[in-house]
Amino acid sequence: MSHDYKMVQWNPFKKRFDVWMLSGVALYLVSFITLTYATQPEGNSFTPIQAMIRATGTLAFLMLNFILCIGPLARFSHRFRPFLYNRRHIGVTTFLIALVHGGLVLLWYHGFSETNAFVSLFISNPRYDSISGFPFEVLGFIALIIMFLMAATSHDFWNANLGPGIWKALHMSVYVAYGLLVAHMALGALQFEKRPIFFLVLGTGAGTVILLHLVSSIASLRISDRIGHEGWLRVAEVRELEDKRAKIIRPVDGDAIAVFRDGDRIAAVSNICRHQGGPLGEGKVVDGCITCPWHGFQYRMEDGQSPPPFTEKIATYATRIMNGTVYVNPKPNPPGTPQAPSEVGGSNEQG
Amino acid sequence: MSKDDFFIGWAETPEVDRRFMLGAGLSIITGTTAVGIGISARQRPVGSGTWNMGEIREWRGIATSEPYGMIRTLDLDGTERTALLACQGKCGVSAKIGALAGKPVVVKGSLIHRGRHAMIAVVDGLDWIREDPDGSIDGLAFPQPEPIMDVSLNGEIMDSKCWFGAMRPARGKIHKSCASLCIRGGLPPAFYVRDMKDQTALMIMTSGGYGHNKDLLPFVAESVSITGQLQRFGDLFLLDAPVSAITRL
């Protein structure tokens, strides 16, 4: 976790994942470029750089679509969590592919002139007052800058030093970048390539991303305040709590709470992982520690602290058991505050 | 769910996750590649122009700087032909012809051509053009533009160098910035028209007999209508029209 920062925290799984991902990237590029040349009419052919511009541009867009679908998919099925675990690698790779695309565009379309290429990017098409004529390259450039900021700060070092709030907000700007890229394609390539497949790919990609996020958001909406007791919120009957797992409680005010059961112990912590905001309540108690489903960050049940040498802390909450029902106090303790778990059948059980 | 079913990135990957990742990974790679193949196979034809950049040679003929830098030569196919002149990048060379205009010259460069349209991208440096002491202007002198008819045409303004073969594709909005830079740099603008029978024609654009330049930029790479005079200029067609005669469609 965070006690030591390396460029990439390699492990065998990540290495295998990257080999597969880079093989897929190579397969796409080779297939795209080969077909680009093979399917042109006799005597027609792309310049190699323009073929590469299209191959990298389309690939970066498709990969970004997949990246944005990983989050919702992982909420629907935990089988997608390995993709979520490696999402950062896919994101950085996507940025590098987009960088090649942008660099080639800058060189090819805006270079070889007395006008500075970056100046040309903004002035060569002055139709900022038109929708169909809008200079779409500018949209792609801004999206690339956002993707650069995200790739550059994707490391845990930045997460720890910027703080989870700023870091999360910065990385949520991927949605701004995605919107810009959809507009970049709609106002650029689709103004020239007007066959249905181009509209289909863009529409299906954007539609899938929007639909998955809508459904995912609806599924996790705060349903209601829970019927409680003296300000405590009802969680569930003790027998309803699965061992090693949690039930997520969403107070009307404040962050969601994950109430875990580990054998006879019941403890509540913030549902938000200190690392990247992963949903701890979808995790599991492993070796006595609450384990985040996203990247495996761990916290002790009794005080919300990561086991040494790690230093992350999350808020804890008081729990109690009355007449076989588990309740949680929705007022959070400061992160890392010791809070004794309730014991099933123990002396602190009331009723 | 057994303990092994819970995926933790830094721990050993559960077998069920391995199997899922293998299937999902293969499906995603296959699907993405299939989409890429579908896109690549459905791209518009990009044109047949070529630029033999590595084949530098000398071309003999008569040079002119108006309306654009050009050379009239027998070296293309043995007949009197006109080749436009350009630098290696996005600029014209008419201002550099200077006192050699109207004289026999030797030009060094590489050929860009598409069908019968030809352009010579001259080499960098000062020695790309020199007077030809053995040359003659007999039979190669540039004629006066010969009016054919007044026309009103719909089409697209583009830069001649890219359309002749420097870039493929070289039309439409995706090429607008490049075409604007080329025309801003002094490369001859061309007007490309396609009729209902899919027949195409290309005319070099002039205004009052002189070359266009930045005045055309608001209309580059867009569908426009131009009312002007069609002229024959040796083996070239010119469309002579002021910028005020151009209307965006």
Side-chain angles (χ1 to χ4, degrees):
Chain A
M1 288 184 275
S2 64
H3 69 297
D4 181 24
Y5 294 113
K6 295 177 182 175
M7 185 63 78
V8 179
Q9 301 274 6
W10 289 111
N11 61 38
F13 180 70
K14 283 184 179 175
K15 289 179 180 174
R16 282 196 298 273
F17 186 92
D18 284 359
V19 168
W20 276 93
M21 178 179 64
L22 295 177
S23 300
V25 166
L27 178 65
Y28 181 94
L29 293 177
V30 169
S31 303
F32 191 102
I33 291 172
T34 301
L35 267 291
T36 288
Y37 282 102
T39 56
Q40 283 286 305
E42 188 176 355
N44 287 227
S45 71
F46 276 75
T47 62
I49 287 183
Q50 284 169 283
M52 194 64 179
I53 285 172
R54 292 200 170 189
T56 49
T58 52
L59 178 57
F61 179 74
L62 291 171
M63 288 180 71
L64 188 58
N65 272 284
F66 177 62
I67 288 170
L68 292 179
C69 290
I70 291 175
L73 287 173
R75 299 193 79 88
F76 298 139
S77 169
H78 60 269
R79 292 285 168 241
F80 282 96
R81 285 180 186 154
F83 286 107
L84 203 150
Y85 180 70
N86 287 282
R87 186 165 56 176
R88 175 164 46 186
H89 286 213
I90 311 175
V92 172
T93 305
T94 301
F95 162 69
L96 293 175
I97 293 168
L99 184 64
V100 171
H101 173 79
L104 291 177
V105 167
L106 207 59
L107 168 75
W108 202 240
Y109 290 115
H110 299 278
F112 309 112
S113 155
E114 290 184 353
T115 305
N116 179 284
F118 287 98
V119 174
S120 166
L121 183 71
F122 290 95
I123 68 164
S124 289
N125 178 0
R127 298 201 62 201
Y128 288 90
D129 59 344
S130 163
I131 294 177
S132 63
F134 196 87
F136 67 101
E137 298 100 320
V138 174
L139 303 175
F141 180 74
I142 297 171
L144 188 61
I145 296 293
I146 293 173
M147 291 171 73
F148 165 73
L149 291 175
M150 292 179 57
T153 61
S154 64
H155 197 274
D156 285 350
F157 170 84
W158 289 102
N159 185 354
N161 285 280
L162 290 174
I166 295 175
W167 190 90
K168 187 77 176 177
L170 175 65
H171 283 249
M172 289 296 278
S173 63
V174 68
Y175 293 102
V176 177
Y178 182 71
L180 289 169
L181 288 178
V182 169
H184 171 72
M185 293 183 68
L187 301 179
L190 267 61
Q191 301 284 314
F192 182 72
E193 296 286 359
K194 299 190 174 178
R195 288 177 170 164
I197 187 169
F198 297 93
F199 295 88
L200 190 67
V201 169
L202 183 66
T204 304
T208 303
V209 168
I210 292 170
L211 186 67
L212 281 176
H213 281 78
L214 273 178
V215 174
S216 171
S217 299
I218 291 169
S220 61
L221 277 178
R222 293 162 190 250
I223 301 167
S224 67
D225 196 357
R226 291 184 161 259
I227 299 169
H229 183 266
E230 297 175 351
W232 293 59
L233 302 181
R234 182 183 183 280
V235 178
E237 300 288 317
V238 170
R239 56 183 166 76
E240 293 173 346
L241 294 178
E242 184 183 354
D243 191 28
K244 309 290 186 191
R245 294 287 179 173
K247 181 156 186 172
I248 299 171
I249 303 299
R250 302 181 190 279
V252 171
D253 296 319
D255 294 330
I257 303 167
V259 183
F260 277 90
R261 175 175 186 176
D262 182 22
D264 287 339
R265 298 195 307 159
I266 291 175
V269 296
S270 165
N271 188 49
I272 302 169
C273 179
R274 169 64 182 79
H275 177 224
Q276 289 189 9
L280 282 175
E282 295 176 24
K284 186 177 181 181
V285 178
V286 177
D287 299 328
C289 287
I290 294 164
T291 305
C292 180
W294 280 13
H295 300 93
F297 271 54
Q298 292 189 307
Y299 305 92
R300 291 190 299 236
M301 285 183 70
E302 57 271 22
D303 58 9
Q305 293 192 30
S306 294
F310 306 111
T311 56
E312 285 76 15
K313 298 174 183 175
I314 54 174
T316 56
Y317 295 80
T319 56
R320 70 183 183 190
I321 304 171
M322 292 177 63
N323 299 321
T325 301
V326 178
Y327 293 86
V328 63
N329 187 336
K331 182 182 177 186
N333 298 317
T337 302
Q339 176 69 57
S342 298
E343 297 279 344
V344 177
S347 58
N348 57 352
E349 184 172 345
Q350 301 172 31
Chain B
M1 182 183 290
S2 70
K3 180 178 178 179
D4 288 341
D5 284 350
F6 185 71
F7 172 80
I8 305 175
W10 44 261
E12 188 175 349
T13 308
E15 182 60 30
V16 65
D17 284 323
R18 287 173 187 265
R19 286 199 301 272
F20 180 81
M21 287 293 286
L22 182 63
L26 283 173
S27 301
I28 291 165
I29 290 173
T30 305
T32 306
T33 303
V35 171
I37 288 172
I39 294 172
S40 58
R42 299 295 293 167
Q43 295 175 98
R44 287 171 62 164
V46 294
S48 57
T50 56
W51 182 1
N52 305 315
M53 291 185 75
E55 294 182 23
I56 306 293
R57 54 165 288 191
E58 292 187 337
W59 313 80
R60 287 176 158 74
I62 307 298
T64 185
S65 58
E66 291 294 345
Y68 303 101
M70 306 178 186
I71 183 172
R72 197 156 153 82
T73 180
L74 297 172
D75 289 348
L76 286 169
D77 60 6
T79 63
E80 297 91 346
R81 294 276 306 281
T82 305
L84 303 172
L85 298 175
C87 73
Q88 289 287 309
K90 295 173 182 174
C91 52
V93 295
S94 62
K96 298 177 181 175
I97 293 175
L100 292 176
K103 295 181 179 178
V105 295
V106 179
V107 167
K108 188 191 290 185
S110 52
L111 181 65
I112 305 171
H113 70 100
R114 179 169 179 169
R116 283 186 59 78
H117 301 286
M119 173 178 277
I120 296 168
V122 303
V123 295
D124 292 331
L126 298 174
D127 64 341
W128 65 272
I129 187 170
R130 67 177 190 273
E131 189 164 359
D132 182 3
D134 302 325
S136 165
I137 63 171
D138 293 342
L140 282 177
F142 280 94
Q144 287 297 311
E146 173 190 343
I148 299 175
M149 67 173 88
D150 290 335
V151 293
S152 186
L153 300 168
N154 296 341
E156 178 183 332
I157 299 169
M158 59 181 69
D159 76 279
S160 50
K161 183 179 180 181
C162 289
W163 192 81
F164 284 9
M167 288 210 181
R168 299 181 300 275
R171 290 184 51 215
K173 191 176 176 187
I174 53 174
H175 186 257
K176 181 183 177 77
S177 295
C178 178
S180 297
L181 272 186
C182 288
I183 292 172
R184 182 192 293 270
L187 283 167
F191 192 57
Y192 179 78
V193 297
R194 179 188 293 272
D195 69 11
M196 300 293 283
K197 296 177 182 173
D198 222 22
Q199 293 182 316
T200 61
L202 190 83
M203 293 148 276
I204 303 301
M205 298 182 65
T206 61
S207 176
Y210 296 96
H212 280 285
N213 191 262
K214 295 177 184 176
D215 57 337
L216 281 181
L217 293 182
F219 302 103
V220 170
E222 297 191 29
S223 293
V224 295
S225 172
I226 301 181
T227 301
Q229 187 178 66
L230 185 63
Q231 301 173 343
R232 189 188 306 280
F233 186 58
D235 58 330
L236 293 181
F237 286 108
L238 304 180
L239 179 60
D240 192 77
V243 72
S244 59
I246 304 174
T247 308
R248 190 178 285 128
L249 294 175

